[in-house]
Amino acid sequence: MQEEIVKNIILGEDEDYIINMGPQHPSTHGVLRFEVSLQGERIKKVVPHCGYIHRGIEKMCERDTYAQIIHLPDRMDYLSAHINNEAVCLCVEKALEVDVPERVTYIRTILDELNRIASHQLWWCAMGMDMGALTTFFYGLRDREKILDIFEESFGSRLIHSFNTPGGFMHDIHPGFQKRIKEFITYFRQKLPEYDRLLTNNVIFRERSIDIGTLSKDDAIQYGVTGPSGRGSGFSCDVRKIEPYGVYSRVEFNEILMTEGDVMARYKVRIAEMYESMRILEQLVDNIPAGDYSAKMKAVLRLPAGEFFQRVETARGELAVFIVSDGNKSPYRIKFRSPNFSNLFIISKLAEGFKIADLVAISGSLDLVIPDIDR
Amino acid sequence: MAFNIYDFTEFTRNIDAGLRSAMSPGWAVFVEYLIIGLIFLLFYAVVGLFLVYAERRVCAFIQNRLGPNRVGPQGIFQTIADLIKLLMKELVPIKNADKLLFNIAPFIVIIASFMAIAAIPFAKGLHAIDFNIGIFYVIAVSSLGVVGILLAGWSSNSKYSLIGAMRSGAQVISYELSVGLSLLTIVVFSGTMQLSAIVASQADYWWIIKGHVPAVIAFVVFLIASTAETNRGPFDLAEAESELTAGFHTEYSGIRFAFFFLAEYMNMFIVASIAATVFLGGWMPFHLGPWTGFNHVMDYIPPFVWYAGKTALVIFIMMWFKWTFPRLRIDQLLTLEWKYLLPINLVNIVVVAFLVLMGWYL
Amino acid sequence: MRSVINYIKEILWGVRTLWTGMRVTGGYFVSPGEIVTQKYPENRDELKMFEGVKGEVIMPHDENNQHRCTGCGICQMNCPNGSIEIITRKEMTPEGKEVRVIDKHIYHLDMCTFCALCIKTCPSNALAFGPEFENAVFDKTKLTKILNQPGSSIKKDIK
């Protein structure tokens, strides 16, 4: 009975050797199952199976009011929790046509960029660990602790904040916020070249990542691979440039594009994005306008009937929120277009012909967070 | 009985004479075997435990943290606690596994490393077996370990183990060539394969200094090749945790897993001892040729301490490799051996032969 | 001849990149700088948490054992997953009016998602986050807490 439920769906010839990189695996960053059909060491076909952590977030949002749904998108892509929340809040504010104070938009953008750096730091440590360089895990986490301290001081929790709410924030930020960010920027600018010396320029790492898992630009556009994975192939998809929200239209930053599309290109895009995020933070951190931390909102929010849409750029790609409302307190239907869901299914195309070790490198470079796939 | 820590030959000869006078020669030899066997078992266990602790500490310092520091003062009893835990674990029987081979495999690995350790000189006169083909014996015997790995992978009846064992087998067999050839350079330099004679020939300078450039190249190649031989460091894809759970020893639990684990650390120790003996002078203190005053000062430190220090240095370098570099893929590993290390080794040996002919070494 | 030179150059470049990486980790081995881990159970006395850390929801009582909860039930309505249950009872004031008074404010710590909506929407600011984070227990019924302490009463002049 058990064997029938976990059926292998690759119907191969007899000499195929089917291996399960099963739901519990140290390198798939979550509960994801890869069914790999091998010939010797070469991969013939990879089929990913997701759905092990489906929690019904979209359905749960249908029974909560608009102020209550903010505690759920946090838990989808938990490494860019603030950006997910901001997407929902921006959508609701757009529907209600509320003007949030300037202070709120500034601080939201600053927190976005901090979240992006924290997420990329965790990606770097996990990537090094998957490749076998176990010290990179600790160096990345050590640097990430500084950002988590900033979060803990202002919001009380490190990863999942629930700080955004339609109209602004729950309470004001701590007075030590700006000082800590400046300290962090000086500290991290001096540590980031170390990452290059340890991993990027290493001959072993280069051998394992150059020309591996090449994603062409057409494939990226067709499959909808956004975020740093798509930008590594030359697909210009940064929502912060296409449809700026927050303060992004007023700060200067570059969109990093590379053309090779292999693992090394995606790696370099993310490292360069960390530098760009620090540049944005330096421009914003001293100029936070004073003001209210929230606009005046009614106690019970009712959106007018209709459909509302908002896109944001999370650390992994484009997240879109689509709310269908029929005038009630709760959404009739809310749909999240999650970036990791589109990024996942390109693996079966990228990994064909390479070896198992390359599968680990490719899935590390795509930077998947599994709860975002399953929602 | 004079117990001279600078020269153990008197001590061992006295024990031998004592035993022979107390019982018949056959029995005396048998009792000597027993004593040496017990000493080696104890040494094996103690050094193995210490190396596991040392690795955890070194790895922790590199990673900005402390390592085991609670069980016992500075955490030195941590490994013993782990060993007790492993002893108490359930030995999970595998369905459809080949029972005999499954049970034998860990023992073969341990026996291979035991046999290699017997030929290494620890101090002057403290040498269990002094063959006249010492190096040849050590290389030959340490390659028996691969049989244990292959048996473990095959008899576990599991796909992961099989892939891990096949990879490891290919790797070990390829790198034995490099190990042998790099040791051959020193054999050509010193003209003998007997380990005690090699150590004695380093009385003026160590071979890594005497044999300048080719000896340094041979040392580096030996270090890389022996890290690959012992399945350690950047060459550990046979037990790559992030890829195949645990490779060839996935299905082993409890004390059998402890054997594999211990054997890996002891192999590292053996390889480091060979490097220290052949390249760095074994138990010979750091002499600088004609400067007798300096040599005299260096002689105050007992040879056993010199030997332990050199081995510790080489072990530290191997641990440093492991915690810095990402892993190599199997085809890159084999490329490294056949296309890079082997040609370098061959050219090196020709150069060394030429140097010895012309006498252009210290 | 050119290929031999390229070959040797490749080897030397490879060795140099490996050596740069080793210098980084070797540097940390020799001088680890600040140790990022803390010896957790032993340093409980010196542990300074940030204020406002989201450990659990508490109802602050002042020195006269008085709290600010009126039993209005707004926190119960706003909690997204039902972690709060309010039980009230009727009481006679000295003037002879019948008022509603909080009997039990039940808080399920095992279901709480720490979204802070109850704290934000309470009209009398009766709730707050407490710093106690060591809440792991073996018995799940211990995680159902009653937030108002026995024998406490509401402060005066709270509507």
Side-chain angles (χ1 to χ4, degrees):
Chain A
M1 182 57 188
Q2 281 298 97
E3 279 98 44
E4 278 170 34
I5 297 176
V6 189
K7 207 161 52 164
N8 283 336
I9 68 171
I10 303 183
L11 303 168
E13 301 110 25
D14 281 325
E15 67 220 36
D16 272 2
Y17 197 61
I18 297 186
I19 267 201
N20 236 342
M21 283 174 69
Q24 295 158 313
H25 196 98
S27 76
T28 52
H29 304 299
V31 275
L32 180 65
R33 177 172 154 228
F34 282 127
E35 222 180 299
V36 182
S37 142
L38 294 176
Q39 195 172 39
E41 279 265 341
R42 247 183 355 105
I43 295 181
K44 275 172 65 171
K45 203 166 167 198
V46 178
V47 176
H49 295 261
C50 52
Y52 285 89
I53 192 169
H54 175 69
R55 295 156 290 179
I57 287 189
E58 293 175 359
K59 185 71 183 174
M60 279 202 279
C61 287
E62 285 175 18
R63 65 136 205 236
D64 288 337
T65 66
Y66 286 102
Q68 285 173 337
I69 63 179
I70 52 161
H71 79 113
L72 288 170
D74 264 342
R75 287 159 166 87
M76 284 187 342
D77 177 2
Y78 47 77
L79 290 176
S80 15
H82 185 266
I83 311 181
N84 293 0
N85 262 350
E86 184 179 354
V88 174
C89 292
L90 283 176
C91 194
V92 172
E93 285 157 12
K94 197 197 262 188
L96 289 172
E97 286 164 13
V98 164
D99 268 327
V100 290
E102 185 77 1
R103 183 178 169 87
V104 169
T105 26
Y106 259 86
I107 297 184
R108 271 183 182 165
T109 311
I110 292 182
L111 291 174
D112 271 357
E113 294 306 313
L114 276 178
N115 236 317
R116 201 180 308 269
I117 299 180
S119 167
H120 284 329
Q121 278 172 332
L122 192 68
W123 159 79
W124 186 77
C125 27
M127 176 123 193
M129 194 176 71
D130 288 341
M131 303 287 238
L134 303 159
T135 30
T136 59
F137 192 62
F138 288 93
Y139 292 162
L141 285 184
R142 168 199 71 190
D143 299 331
R144 190 167 174 253
E145 284 295 312
K146 302 260 183 305
I147 298 187
L148 296 184
D149 276 343
I150 301 178
F151 288 161
E152 192 176 1
E153 195 181 28
S154 287
F155 316 140
S157 60
R158 289 148 50 102
L159 196 63
I160 308 237
H161 315 137
S162 299
F163 186 58
N164 266 318
T165 174
F169 299 139
M170 296 255 190
H171 53 82
D172 209 351
I173 52 173
H174 196 269
F177 188 67
Q178 282 164 304
K179 185 171 77 101
R180 272 188 195 262
I181 292 187
K182 286 197 231 179
E183 277 171 15
F184 167 72
I185 294 180
T186 24
Y187 168 80
F188 196 50
R189 268 201 195 274
Q190 162 210 358
K191 289 286 180 192
L192 205 45
E194 225 177 65
Y195 289 10
D196 281 334
R197 273 186 283 155
L198 192 52
L199 206 55
T200 319
N201 293 332
N202 198 324
V203 61
I204 303 177
F205 182 72
R206 291 177 83 95
E207 289 289 313
R208 277 191 76 170
S209 55
I210 298 187
D211 284 337
I212 306 282
T214 316
L215 176 65
S216 65
K217 185 171 168 185
D218 288 331
D219 275 338
I221 298 179
Q222 274 202 348
Y223 277 79
V225 176
T226 53
S229 319
R231 293 200 275 279
S233 311
F235 175 27
S236 161
C237 56
D238 197 342
V239 179
R240 298 176 289 172
K241 290 279 191 197
I242 301 176
E243 247 183 65
Y245 54 95
V247 194
Y248 284 116
S249 42
R250 285 179 264 165
V251 289
E252 274 181 31
F253 65 102
N254 297 334
E255 177 182 3
I256 320 278
L257 284 176
M258 307 238 167
T259 46
E260 299 94 18
D262 53 8
V263 168
M264 182 53 113
R266 298 193 274 273
Y267 177 94
K268 282 196 176 150
V269 166
R270 289 193 174 97
I271 301 270
E273 275 192 5
M274 282 204 259
Y275 279 108
E276 289 298 315
S277 292
M278 283 204 287
R279 204 171 133 202
I280 298 179
L281 278 179
E282 276 168 356
Q283 290 173 39
L284 287 179
V285 73
D286 279 323
N287 308 331
I288 304 181
D292 276 336
Y293 59 83
S294 172
K296 277 267 170 262
M297 306 285 279
K298 293 205 269 271
V300 173
L301 301 171
R302 270 175 216 276
L303 258 59
E307 300 170 348
F308 309 101
F309 185 77
Q310 172 72 38
R311 333 199 257 173
V312 295
E313 173 83 10
T314 64
R316 280 164 187 78
E318 175 183 324
L319 172 80
V321 178
F322 179 62
I323 298 185
V324 176
S325 156
D326 56 356
N328 272 336
K329 295 190 292 194
S330 317
Y332 177 72
R333 169 82 167 106
I334 183 168
K335 159 99 177 117
F336 294 104
R337 183 259 179 215
S338 66
N340 288 300
F341 189 74
S342 316
N343 288 2
L344 169 71
F345 292 101
I346 195 85
I347 277 194
S348 35
K349 193 158 189 194
L350 289 184
E352 266 172 53
F354 289 108
K355 309 201 167 44
I356 301 186
D358 296 325
L359 177 64
V360 172
I362 294 173
S363 72
S365 77
L366 286 177
D367 195 9
L368 301 167
V369 168
I370 316 297
D372 200 25
I373 300 179
D374 300 337
R375 272 161 282 148
Chain B
M1 266 189 279
F3 190 78
N4 178 10
I5 54 171
Y6 292 100
D7 191 349
F8 281 95
T9 38
E10 278 297 316
F11 180 58
T12 44
R13 211 166 284 155
N14 284 341
I15 294 188
D16 188 41
L19 278 175
R20 276 179 203 275
S21 63
M23 47 189 99
S24 65
W27 274 109
V29 169
F30 180 68
V31 168
E32 276 176 10
Y33 282 173
L34 261 183
I35 296 179
I36 294 184
L38 280 174
I39 293 181
F40 269 126
L41 266 175
L42 214 61
F43 181 70
Y44 202 84
V46 168
V47 170
L49 291 179
F50 178 69
L51 274 182
V52 174
Y53 168 75
E55 160 127 56
R56 286 171 73 164
R57 275 292 203 166
V58 165
C59 135
F61 281 144
I62 290 182
Q63 293 166 353
N64 272 142
R65 56 189 180 93
L66 285 177
N69 57 2
R70 287 200 173 123
V71 185
Q74 297 293 320
I76 53 181
F77 297 140
Q78 176 75 42
T79 328
I80 301 185
D82 286 339
L83 194 64
I84 297 179
K85 174 202 83 161
L86 279 174
L87 282 172
M88 299 200 304
K89 274 204 191 264
E90 175 190 354
L91 296 179
V92 178
I94 313 290
K95 195 163 111 173
N96 294 339
D98 195 331
K99 296 255 178 1
L100 178 67
L101 296 178
F102 189 71
N103 290 331
I104 283 188
F107 292 108
I108 295 188
V109 178
I110 293 219
I111 289 175
S113 53
F114 248 125
M115 285 167 74
I117 220 180
I120 298 183
F122 294 110
K124 185 158 187 186
L126 209 57
H127 196 170
I129 312 176
D130 199 4
F131 278 129
N132 57 344
I133 48 163
I135 287 191
F136 184 62
Y137 165 78
V138 166
I139 299 176
V141 147
S142 55
S143 39
L144 283 181
V146 73
V147 173
I149 295 178
L150 285 174
L151 282 183
W154 173 257
S155 62
S156 300
N157 196 23
S158 151
K159 287 176 190 165
Y160 294 126
S161 311
L162 190 60
I163 295 185
M166 291 298 145
R167 281 172 168 178
S168 177
Q171 174 188 334
V172 171
I173 293 178
S174 313
Y175 277 93
E176 270 163 19
L177 272 174
S178 284
V179 165
L181 282 177
S182 53
L183 288 179
L184 214 56
T185 48
I186 301 298
V187 169
V188 173
F189 264 130
S190 65
T192 164
M193 283 208 258
Q194 191 170 9
L195 277 168
S196 53
I198 291 184
V199 173
S201 70
Q202 299 185 59
D204 46 354
Y205 298 98
W206 295 344
W207 275 121
I208 202 174
I209 305 177
K210 261 212 267 204
H212 45 90
V213 172
V216 171
I217 295 182
F219 181 59
V220 170
V221 169
F222 179 78
L223 220 54
I224 298 176
S226 52
T227 326
E229 270 283 298
T230 52
N231 280 329
R232 254 195 82 82
F235 306 100
D236 60 351
L237 45 68
E239 31 177 72
E241 260 174 27
S242 10
E243 289 171 36
L244 284 183
T245 29
F248 64 89
H249 54 72
T250 317
E251 304 290 340
Y252 284 89
S253 57
I255 189 63
R256 297 199 193 115
F257 172 71
F259 275 155
F260 274 118
F261 198 53
L262 208 60
E264 179 185 317
Y265 283 98
M266 285 316 287
N267 271 339
M268 184 171 69
F269 177 76
I270 290 168
V271 145
S273 322
I274 297 176
T277 312
V278 166
F279 289 100
L280 294 178
W283 48 260
M284 194 60 77
F286 183 52
H287 289 160
L288 277 180
W291 299 358
T292 41
F294 180 72
N295 294 350
H296 204 64
V297 168
M298 287 288 136
D299 278 342
Y300 274 116
I301 309 179
F304 190 86
V305 173
W306 279 109
Y307 168 78
K310 290 172 201 174
T311 313
L313 176 71
V314 178
I315 290 183
F316 172 68
I317 296 181
M318 288 173 78
M319 289 184 185
W320 198 2
F321 280 171
K322 171 169 182 161
W323 296 105
T324 313
F325 299 134
R327 219 171 269 136
L328 270 84
R329 226 171 44 199
I330 182 69
D331 63 326
Q332 290 166 349
L333 215 135
L334 297 174
T335 312
L336 178 68
E337 157 66 15
W338 293 100
K339 290 198 199 166
Y340 290 94
L341 289 186
L342 193 62
I344 294 180
N345 258 328
L346 292 173
V347 167
N348 211 20
I349 289 195
V350 170
V351 167
V352 165
F354 183 65
L355 284 184
V356 168
L357 205 58
M358 307 297 289
W360 287 345
Y361 61 101
L362 286 173
Chain C
M1 194 55 201
R2 172 153 297 241
S3 54
V4 173
I5 296 190
N6 276 345
Y7 178 84
I8 297 185
K9 262 204 233 172
E10 228 178 75
I11 295 180
L12 289 176
W13 170 80
V15 170
R16 202 178 57 169
T17 58
L18 293 179
W19 173 242
T20 341
M22 277 172 75
R23 258 205 346 234
V24 172
T25 40
Y28 276 114
F29 179 74
V30 169
S31 56
E34 59 164 312
I35 301 283
V36 292
T37 50
Q38 296 175 355
K39 290 197 177 187
Y40 167 51
E42 285 101 13
N43 71 345
R44 274 200 191 114
D45 297 330
E46 302 101 43
L47 197 56
K48 245 172 33 97
M49 306 289 290
F50 291 112
E51 48 196 57
V53 162
K54 290 186 186 178
E56 56 172 357
V57 174
I58 56 171
M59 189 187 291
H61 288 69
D62 64 1
E63 59 274 355
N64 301 332
N65 207 11
Q66 290 189 323
H67 56 75
R68 300 170 68 97
C69 176
T70 56
C72 57
I74 288 185
C75 55
Q76 184 179 7
M77 276 193 327
N78 270 304
C79 178
N81 58 357
S83 314
I84 296 187
E85 284 172 41
I86 303 269
I87 305 183
T88 54
R89 61 166 192 264
K90 300 261 189 243
E91 224 182 50
M92 297 290 283
T93 57
E95 287 96 27
K97 271 201 319 200
E98 211 178 56
V99 289
R100 182 190 56 195
V101 151
I102 179 84
D103 186 23
K104 284 210 243 276
H105 180 117
I106 301 181
Y107 168 64
H108 293 280
L109 181 56
D110 48 346
M111 295 212 305
C112 177
T113 56
F114 297 95
C115 64
L117 279 172
C118 53
I119 297 176
K120 175 171 175 261
T121 52
C122 177
S124 35
N125 288 331
L127 296 170
F129 272 123
E132 176 65 35
F133 59 91
E134 295 173 355
N135 288 322
V137 290
F138 286 103
D139 179 12
K140 203 164 166 190
T141 55
K142 291 206 192 113
L143 287 178
T144 305
K145 304 194 175 197
I146 301 194
L147 287 187
N148 56 328
Q149 289 168 6
S152 57
S153 57
I154 185 172
K155 264 208 242 258
K156 304 260 178 44
D157 72 320
I158 295 200
K159 286 200 285 290

